[in-house]
Amino acid sequence: QDVEEAATEERVMDHHLAGSLNIPAEIVRLALRLRRCYLPFMATAATLVLLITDNISAKNIILNFLSITFISESDNVLAVLFLRTRHMEMMGKAAKEAHES
């Protein structure tokens, strides 16, 4: 889900900043690409390291899975907590507009 969100955010940014050279926007674009490529690798690596180094028990596997899921989903939870409904609607509209073009 984070990979899809990063791709959508990059499309929205590309749509709104087409034809302009903006250094902060390029930094955000790089961060989005890293999130899209690096995050799945790191989640997989964290899962493998925990499975290899920790005692294999149902409790440990479930707790480790929950902690990795919590960390990867925390940005969505923070968005729901801190953004108003109007902002969420604006972001959805911008994403839909960028996707259609």
Side-chain angles (χ1 to χ4, degrees):
Q1 183 179 5
D2 278 335
V3 174
E4 293 171 7
E5 289 174 358
T8 301
E9 290 167 1
E10 189 172 354
R11 273 191 305 243
V12 169
M13 193 172 76
D14 288 342
H15 175 73
H16 287 287
L17 298 175
S20 68
L21 180 62
N22 189 349
I23 300 301
E26 294 301 323
I27 293 171
V28 170
R29 182 176 284 125
L30 177 65
L32 289 172
R33 287 188 183 168
L34 284 174
R35 181 175 153 195
R36 192 173 65 198
C37 300
Y38 194 63
L39 188 64
F41 171 74
M42 291 307 290
T44 304
T47 303
L48 290 175
V49 166
L50 288 173
L51 287 175
I52 291 171
T53 61
D54 209 7
N55 293 332
I56 297 179
S57 69
K59 180 183 86 171
N60 285 344
I61 291 172
I62 290 171
L63 289 176
N64 290 335
F65 176 74
L66 286 174
S67 64
I68 292 170
T69 303
F70 174 77
I71 290 170
S72 65
E73 292 295 321
S74 62
D75 62 336
N76 295 335
V77 172
L78 290 175
V80 169
L81 289 175
F82 291 113
L83 294 177
R84 296 182 177 165
T85 306
R86 183 174 59 92
H87 292 122
M88 298 291 276
E89 290 171 357
M90 283 176 27
M91 288 189 303
K93 182 180 175 183
K96 185 177 179 182
E97 183 181 298
H99 183 68
E100 289 173 353
S101 64

